[in-house]
Amino acid sequence: MRLLAFDLALSLIHSLRPTLEALRRHDAPLAKQLRTALASVALNAAEALGRTGGDRPHLFRIALGSLREVNAVLDVAIAFGYLAEAPLAAERDRLGGLLYGLQRG
């Protein structure tokens, strides 16, 4: 059984690939942090799917925290002038809403 949050996380990764590449050209460590945070969102959402009890909401909380890190990296990239705007705001908000609900149990 797949989880919508996991599918949305994968879609976000796919859609942010051009942004990752552009960011890598300006600031490779910041791009690496974005890559790591994006992977964490997807991986923790997937791991939560197979868990029960207190572990499950905890993993969704980690995924949500990683998504907030994604948002912060994009904001920092804008502040440094690497990006004009943060892409996929609606998609990131939708995923954040799902993860917020899931982490509440």
Side-chain angles (χ1 to χ4, degrees):
M1 179 171 123
R2 294 201 36 136
L3 180 70
L4 179 58
F6 176 71
D7 290 337
L8 291 176
L10 290 181
S11 178
L12 188 63
I13 291 170
H14 180 76
S15 297
L16 283 174
R17 284 169 42 193
T19 302
L20 268 167
E21 182 56 31
L23 186 53
R24 188 192 61 75
R25 287 192 297 272
H26 292 287
D27 189 329
L30 194 60
K32 183 179 185 299
Q33 191 158 359
L34 179 58
R35 240 186 350 267
T36 300
L38 283 166
S40 178
V41 175
L43 295 173
N44 280 289
E47 186 174 351
L49 184 59
R51 297 290 182 100
T52 59
D55 281 353
R56 187 177 172 101
H58 175 71
L59 288 164
F60 286 128
R61 268 191 290 284
I62 293 170
L64 180 59
S66 293
L67 181 61
R68 289 178 175 149
E69 185 176 2
V70 167
N71 294 338
V73 168
L74 294 172
D75 288 342
V76 167
I78 291 168
F80 277 124
Y82 303 150
L83 300 174
E85 63 183 356
L88 305 166
E91 291 85 349
R92 289 183 285 117
D93 286 348
R94 179 177 183 209
L95 179 54
L98 281 171
L99 290 171
Y100 179 79
L102 289 165
Q103 62 93 32
R104 292 181 54 101

